[in-house]
Amino acid sequence: MRVLVIEDNESVCSMIEMFFSKEGIEGEFVHDGLKGYNRFKEENWDLLIVDWMLPGMDGVTICRKIREEKSSIPIIMLTAKDSESDQVLGLEMGADDYVTKPFSPLALMARIKAVTRRYNSKPTEEMETGTLRTEHFQINKNTREVILNGTPITNLTPKEFDLLYYFAQHPKQVFSREQLLDRVWGYQFYGDERTVDVHIKRLRKKLGTANQPFFHTVWGVGYKFDESIEGEK
């Protein structure tokens, strides 16, 4: 597994590098945002870890540019910002997850494993999944392709795809935010559950319409996926 880390704090990089070595992860570390972004474009990577505050180019801009280029690489953002608006902005720009500084290396490794787990399954397991068809969607987990009413959807992030696929597997079933974090993100999430809200909002924007958002809020409980009814955003 090859991971590009764009982080200007060398002590943080040293800590991450130590744990990468234990996990058998090949990491490359760049301390400037613009140089890191250019390095990202030069080769293929399995995961990007990017700090929010960087010289040259900030992490939010890096995420936005990568998503504009239609790259689906999983992205974890490191940030010292802990306000709701800052965290939501990072997710809106395309990060799949974020880790607030100071953080535990073990917690970061758990996030890395969770984000990449669905992309590292064995080929024999992937062959068994096939294509999931619903009233409006055709979703292929092997190729990670989504077709909505005959139109290919190419702008979903990795986690958005995972969330859509999970919901489509369980139509009309109501899930709490905690359940979605555990089953889609793949780890027990101790912190802000707004991660789910942001991803639902993005999926509604990319896939739904005012009359058919597909993802419905069940007040006081969570969310459900239902193609048969209209509902509020």
Side-chain angles (χ1 to χ4, degrees), residues 79-101:
T79 175
K81 297 175 177 290
D82 57 3
S83 71
E84 176 181 356
S85 59
D86 288 329
Q87 293 169 353
V88 168
L89 176 61
L91 294 170
E92 288 279 12
M93 290 298 102
D96 295 282
D97 205 348
Y98 63 86
V99 178
T100 304
K101 295 179 178 179

Side-chain angles (χ1 to χ4, degrees), residues 48 50-52 59-60 63 75-79 90 95 97-100:
L48 175 64
V50 57
D51 188 29
W52 181 299
V60 172
C63 285
I75 301 175
I76 296 176
M77 178 168 284
L78 305 179
T79 175
D97 205 348
Y98 63 86
V99 178
T100 304

Side-chain angles (χ1 to χ4, degrees), residues 175-184 187-190 193 196 221:
F175 295 99
S176 68
R177 293 169 179 82
E178 183 179 40
Q179 288 174 319
L180 292 170
L181 285 167
D182 181 50
R183 299 174 189 181
V184 178
Y187 57 86
Q188 292 293 331
F189 187 86
Y190 299 100
E193 296 180 349
V196 174
V221 183

Side-chain angles (χ1 to χ4, degrees), residues 19-224:
F19 276 82
F20 276 8
S21 178
K22 292 181 179 180
E23 296 289 336
I25 297 174
E26 179 185 347
E28 182 170 329
F29 298 82
V30 182
H31 307 306
D32 176 90
L34 181 57
K35 292 179 180 178
Y37 172 69
N38 290 333
R39 186 73 183 104
F40 164 79
K41 295 193 296 182
E42 290 173 353
E43 293 190 28
N44 293 321
W45 307 92
D46 299 308
L47 174 72
L48 175 64
I49 298 176
V50 57
D51 188 29
W52 181 299
M53 301 296 293
L54 289 164
M57 181 185 293
D58 64 77
V60 172
T61 301
I62 292 173
C63 285
R64 176 178 57 78
K65 290 175 71 66
I66 288 174
R67 295 309 184 210
E68 287 175 350
E69 294 164 3
K70 308 302 183 184
S71 172
S72 61
I73 184 174
I75 301 175
I76 296 176
M77 178 168 284
L78 305 179
T79 175
K81 297 175 177 290
D82 57 3
S83 71
E84 176 181 356
S85 59
D86 288 329
Q87 293 169 353
V88 168
L89 176 61
L91 294 170
E92 288 279 12
M93 290 298 102
D96 295 282
D97 205 348
Y98 63 86
V99 178
T100 304
K101 295 179 178 179
F103 59 87
S104 160
L106 293 177
L108 177 61
M109 291 307 306
R111 303 290 179 92
I112 291 172
K113 291 177 181 178
V115 167
T116 59
R117 184 175 294 125
R118 291 178 179 268
Y119 314 105
N120 294 331
S121 56
K122 297 179 181 179
T124 54
E125 294 174 347
E126 293 181 346
M127 290 298 293
E128 293 174 357
T129 61
T131 298
L132 177 63
R133 300 177 188 274
T134 70
E135 181 179 353
H136 296 279
F137 290 88
Q138 180 176 320
I139 309 170
N140 189 300
K141 192 177 181 182
N142 295 333
T143 61
R144 302 185 72 81
E145 294 175 311
V146 177
I147 298 175
L148 171 58
N149 294 326
T151 301
I153 304 297
T154 60
N155 63 341
L156 297 185
T157 68
K159 193 56 63 182
E160 288 167 0
F161 177 93
D162 293 341
L163 190 58
L164 169 64
Y165 190 84
Y166 186 78
F167 267 118
Q169 286 180 304
H170 305 87
K172 301 182 181 182
Q173 185 171 339
V174 180
F175 295 99
S176 68
R177 293 169 179 82
E178 183 179 40
Q179 288 174 319
L180 292 170
L181 285 167
D182 181 50
R183 299 174 189 181
V184 178
W185 272 254
Y187 57 86
Q188 292 293 331
F189 187 86
Y190 299 100
D192 197 339
E193 296 180 349
R194 287 173 302 218
T195 298
V196 174
D197 299 334
V198 171
H199 280 75
I200 293 291
K201 179 181 177 181
R202 292 198 321 225
L203 282 172
R204 285 171 172 165
K205 183 177 180 179
K206 292 180 179 181
L207 304 176
T209 64
N211 294 326
Q212 178 54 284
F214 297 120
F215 300 89
H216 301 268
T217 301
V218 180
W219 298 107
V221 183
Y223 298 101
K224 70 175 180 179

